[in-house]
Amino acid sequence: MSVGFPVMMSAKRILISGGAGFLGSHLCERLLNEGHDILCVDNYFTGSKANIAHLLDHPRFEVMRHDVTFPLYVEVDEIYNLACPASPIHYQFDPVQTTKTSVHG
């Protein structure tokens, strides 16, 4: 890397599972601001459409309602798997589904 010359990164298509959750929605926003195309995947078990409402009209943002325990065939450059119920109330409700989300997702 040369000193004094900015490194220009090309835009990537990035899948963020759990993208409508608290952390996922902020990651979507951050990566959009960096110029990437975002595919937000969420089943809304603990995430909320309200968390991504301000991103829905963004031309590089796409949202898909999907449960990551089932196959999803898309072409992306990177995947961030944040799809997992994080609070004891949610993961104790269905511990098997929580494990499947973490493992299969």
Side-chain angles (χ1 to χ4, degrees):
M1 182 164 85
S2 300
V3 176
F5 294 97
V7 176
M8 299 303 291
M9 297 177 59
S10 60
K12 297 178 182 176
R13 180 160 164 82
I14 301 173
L15 185 151
I16 302 173
S17 61
F22 178 77
L23 294 176
S25 62
H26 285 86
L27 182 59
C28 287
E29 188 171 342
R30 169 72 183 263
L31 293 173
L32 278 172
N33 288 336
E34 290 181 6
H36 300 291
D37 295 330
I38 304 301
L39 173 57
C40 170
V41 175
D42 206 298
N43 67 354
Y44 303 112
F45 180 65
T46 60
S48 171
K49 290 180 185 179
N51 289 339
I52 55 171
H54 64 291
L55 303 175
L56 294 176
D57 290 330
H58 196 289
R60 292 189 321 274
F61 183 77
E62 181 181 353
V63 63
M64 178 185 299
R65 184 178 193 138
H66 180 76
D67 185 330
V68 297
T69 62
F70 297 98
L72 176 62
Y73 301 101
V74 294
E75 291 186 26
V76 295
D77 300 304
E78 294 180 1
I79 299 172
Y80 294 88
N81 182 16
L82 302 177
C84 187
S87 71
I89 292 170
H90 290 108
Y91 64 72
Q92 288 174 352
F93 173 74
D94 191 348
V96 172
Q97 183 66 16
T98 299
T99 302
K100 287 170 72 175
T101 300
S102 297
V103 175
H104 294 279

